[in-house]
Each structure stands twice: as C-alpha cells, then as structure tokens.
C-alpha cells in the first residue's frame, strides 16, 4: 500500500459491490473463448454501473476483443472503438449505467494492467479494475477490486503509478436473487436438508477464515524477516482485531480479581456451550446408528419372509405336479387291464372253436 494520501483513502474506503450477473457474464466470456485452453491467456471486458464518492455498484458488463503476447507483456491490443460503440448501444438500453472500469480473468495482476488502466481513463477519471477468478480454488469471494493511485516514495524520488486493493462483496437485488436461485436449482441437491446446508456453509466460512489467517501470518513473517516494509496502517488494523478477541487464558494470580473472574467465567461458559454441542452431536449419532440398525433388521426379516414364501410356493407346485402324474397313470393301467382280459377271453373262445 502506498503512502497514505487523501485521494488514496477516499478510493480505498469505497464499498465495491458486484452483481451476480457480472460473474455469470465473465465466466461465459471465458468459456466461449480460447482462454480456457491456456493458463497464460485471459479475457478482458468493461464494467458498467454507477460510482459515487462512497459506493461503487457494478451492475453489468460486456466483453471486449483483447490480445496480448505471451512472451512480451508490453505487447497487447485492446479495441477501444468496440468499447465506444458498445457503450453507445448500452446507453440506449439503460442510460443510468455508466462505464466505471474494466475487468480481466487474472488470476493475478499483470505488467500491462497499468497501461490498460490509463487507456480506460479517457472514459472515466478513476477506472475500477476487478480481477474475477473464473476457476477459484479457495473458498471466499472470487473478486479482487483495485484502484490506480500515485505512489509517493519516502526518499523523494519520482512518483509512480500502482494499484491499491479495496474490499469487494457480491450483492444481488431482489430480482437478481430470484434468478440466481432459479439457476442454482440444477446444482443444489433438493434432498439435502437445511442442517447439511448450514454445516457446509459454516465449513466454507471456517476455511475462508483459515486462508485469511494464513495470509496474515505470511505477511507478518515477511515483515519480521525484512522482506517487506512495516506498514503501520495494516499493523494498526491487526492490533484492533486482536484487541476484540476475548482472553481465554486464566492467569493463576493477578492484581485485580475481577479480571480473573471474568476470564474464568468466559472460559467456563464456552466449555459448557462446547460440551452441549458435542452432546447433541453424540446423541444424534447414536439415534442415527440405532435407526440404521432397525432398518437393517427389518430388511433382513422381510427378505427372510419373502424367501420362505417362495420356498413354500415352490413345494406346493412340486406336490401338485406329483398328484397330477399319479392321476394320469391310474386310468392307463385300467385300460391296459381291460385289454388284457379281453384278449384272454378271445384266446379261450378261439381254443374252443378249434376243439
């Protein structure tokens, strides 16, 4: 962060909010081009919205033809005639949306960003640069907002341009929120309950907090090693954060007994709260296991009953076939007996005639 000036403070303290439509447009722009085939290539576009002295609202965007040399970052091409013609057409649709900056798919700042930012100054005095990570690997907001300012050096040398980071959020209006919820129907699992969703959201929040703490630790380590200069504004903010954290360590003896009592009460309350939560988790796990065992036993009983019914039906079918065979064999024997008796009578009559 450069030396603090009034202009720098006014830019850094602005609230930057990005609409979900912008994120969808950038991802679609990235997927429609050949940039997704190469990690070094990126896409560039223009941001539309309104920018006052306090808030910056990015509500729309459009893609711009852009080319750059992979080997030489100073060689690039941006079609500013296309920017002007598209801006005139967007004015006819919504005159309240003005050109406030530009975006690229990053994922980090490039050497040519300052030159492109100077080109955008012909359309807006303080262009906003937003780097949108189309393939985020970590939890958190996939946008990084920057403003270009003059860096005043302590040794009195010539000033130079640099980017300062400003916080950004993803904010949707009511109509946009309904549209985003409609698009997420195919992604979200309807069968998942609200408890699972809440646990997943808390897990992602904890992961984001872990990444931020890791960045703070890396920054402080670099400052301690002398790789980065100490920035008193950042250190002051970190001190404010640490002052807001409760002191959970209970000293054995202290000059004021009230402080020790308050710390011990806080530690005791947190322990009770943690134990209650763990008890609820333990009971829910037991209930789930018992329910699963009950379903398993019911399933085995049903399978055994079905197997016994099949075996009984099979035995009845076999007994029926045996009875039918016996009934068929009895009349055949009777017929054969009659025929035998008739043949014997005929033989006797024939012998009498011969005599």
């Amino acid at each position: 962060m450069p030396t603090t000036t009034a202009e720098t403070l006014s830019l850094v303290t602005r609230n930057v909010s990005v609409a979900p439509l912008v994120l969808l447009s950038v991802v679609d722009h990235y997927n429609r081009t050949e940039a997704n085939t190469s990690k070094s290539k990126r896409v560039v576009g223009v941001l539309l919205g309104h920018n006052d002295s306090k808030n910056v609202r990015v509500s729309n965007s459009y893609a711009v033809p852009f080319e750059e040399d992979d080997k030489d970052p100073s060689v690039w091409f941006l079609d500013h005639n296309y920017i002007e013609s598209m801006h005139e057409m967007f004015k006819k649709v919504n005159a309240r949306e003005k050109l406030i900056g530009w975006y690229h798919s990053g994922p980090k700042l490039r050497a040519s960003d300052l030159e492109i930012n100077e080109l955008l100054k012909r359309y807006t005095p303080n262009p906003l640069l937003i780097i949108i990570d189309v393939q985020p690997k970590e939890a958190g907001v996939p946008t990084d907002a920057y403003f270009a300012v003059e860096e005043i050096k302590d040794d009195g040398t010539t000033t130079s341009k640099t980017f300062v980071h400003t916080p950004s959020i993803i904010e949707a209006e009511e109509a946009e929120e309904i549209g985003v919820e409609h698009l997420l129907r195919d992604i979200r699992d309807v069968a998942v309950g609200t408890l699972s969703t809440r646990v997943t959201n808390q897990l992602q929040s904890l992961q984001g907090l872990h990444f931020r703490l890791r960045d703070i630790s890396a920054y402080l380590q670099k400052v301690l090693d002398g790789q980065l200069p100490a920035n008193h504004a950042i250190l002051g903010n970190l001190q404010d954060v640490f002052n807001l954290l409760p002191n959970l360590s209970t000293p054995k003896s202290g000059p004021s007994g009230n402080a020790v009592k308050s710390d011990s009460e806080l530690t005791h309350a947190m322990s009770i709260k943690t134990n209650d939560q763990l008890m609820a988790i333990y009971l829910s796990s037991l209930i789930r296991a018992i329910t699963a065992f009950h379903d398993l036993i019911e399933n085995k009983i049903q399978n055994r009953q079905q197997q016994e019914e099949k075996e009984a039906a099979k035995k009845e079918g076999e007994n029926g076939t045996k009875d039918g065979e016996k009934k068929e064999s009895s009349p055949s024997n009777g017929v054969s007996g009659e025929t035998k008796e008739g043949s014997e009578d005929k033989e006797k009559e024939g012998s009498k005639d011969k005599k």
Side-chain angles (χ1 to χ4, degrees), residues 45-144:
V46 170
L47 300 174
L48 302 175
H50 63 273
N51 183 1
D52 52 21
S53 58
K54 294 183 180 180
N55 300 317
V56 181
R57 172 64 178 172
V58 182
S59 57
N60 205 348
S61 65
Y62 61 87
V64 177
F66 176 77
E67 294 290 338
E68 63 180 343
D69 192 358
D70 297 337
K71 298 180 180 179
D72 189 2
S74 61
V75 179
W76 52 273
F77 167 74
L78 184 67
D79 193 351
H80 56 87
N81 294 325
Y82 183 84
I83 295 176
E84 295 173 359
S85 60
M86 286 293 292
H87 189 209
E88 292 296 328
M89 286 190 288
F90 270 93
K91 276 184 180 179
K92 297 178 182 178
V93 178
N94 191 352
R96 304 175 72 179
E97 292 180 347
K98 298 181 181 180
L99 196 153
I100 59 174
W102 61 291
Y103 72 84
H104 68 80
S105 58
K108 300 295 182 182
L109 287 170
R110 304 289 183 91
S112 59
D113 288 347
L114 286 172
E115 299 176 0
I116 300 174
N117 197 76
E118 290 295 326
L119 177 63
L120 267 293
K121 277 191 174 181
R122 67 173 65 181
Y123 309 109
T124 180
N126 292 318
L128 169 68
L129 168 60
I130 294 183
I131 299 178
I132 300 175
D133 191 1
V134 294
Q135 295 177 346
K137 297 180 181 178
E138 297 180 354
V141 180
T143 58
D144 291 320

Side-chain angles (χ1 to χ4, degrees), residues 22-53:
V22 177
L23 302 179
L24 295 174
S25 300
V26 175
V27 172
D28 181 66
H29 181 199
Y30 182 81
N31 291 328
R32 284 188 291 104
T33 58
E34 298 179 354
N36 54 359
T37 60
S38 176
K39 295 182 179 179
S40 60
K41 291 186 178 181
R42 56 177 177 168
V43 295
V44 176
V46 170
L47 300 174
L48 302 175
H50 63 273
N51 183 1
D52 52 21
S53 58

Side-chain angles (χ1 to χ4, degrees), residues 184-306:
L184 292 177
R185 286 181 179 178
D186 297 334
I187 300 175
R188 291 180 178 176
D189 189 1
V190 183
V192 177
T194 56
L195 179 60
S196 176
T197 305
R198 289 172 57 189
V199 172
T200 304
N201 293 335
Q202 289 185 358
L203 177 61
Q204 292 178 354
S205 301
L206 291 175
Q207 289 177 352
L209 177 62
H210 173 69
F211 294 143
R212 298 297 179 269
L213 293 176
R214 187 182 62 184
D215 294 339
I216 292 173
S217 176
Y219 169 75
L220 293 177
Q221 187 63 39
K222 288 182 179 179
V223 172
L224 186 62
D225 297 339
Q227 299 178 5
L228 291 176
N231 192 312
H232 297 288
I234 297 176
L235 296 178
N237 291 330
L238 291 177
Q239 187 63 44
D240 294 337
V241 172
F242 294 147
N243 291 335
L244 293 174
L245 295 176
N247 186 13
L248 298 180
S249 60
T250 305
K252 295 181 181 179
S253 62
S256 60
N258 294 329
V260 175
K261 184 178 180 181
S262 62
D263 292 340
S264 61
E265 288 179 355
L266 179 60
T267 305
H268 184 65
M270 290 193 66
S271 300
I272 292 175
K273 183 69 174 178
T274 304
N275 292 333
D276 292 342
Q277 291 178 352
L278 293 177
M279 179 61 70
I281 294 173
Y282 179 69
L283 290 176
S284 62
S285 300
L286 285 177
I287 293 171
R288 184 180 298 177
I290 293 171
T291 306
F293 278 124
H294 183 268
D295 293 339
L296 179 62
I297 294 171
E298 288 290 337
N299 190 15
K300 284 186 172 295
I301 292 173
Q302 291 179 2
N303 291 336
R304 184 177 295 176
Q305 290 178 355
Q306 291 178 359

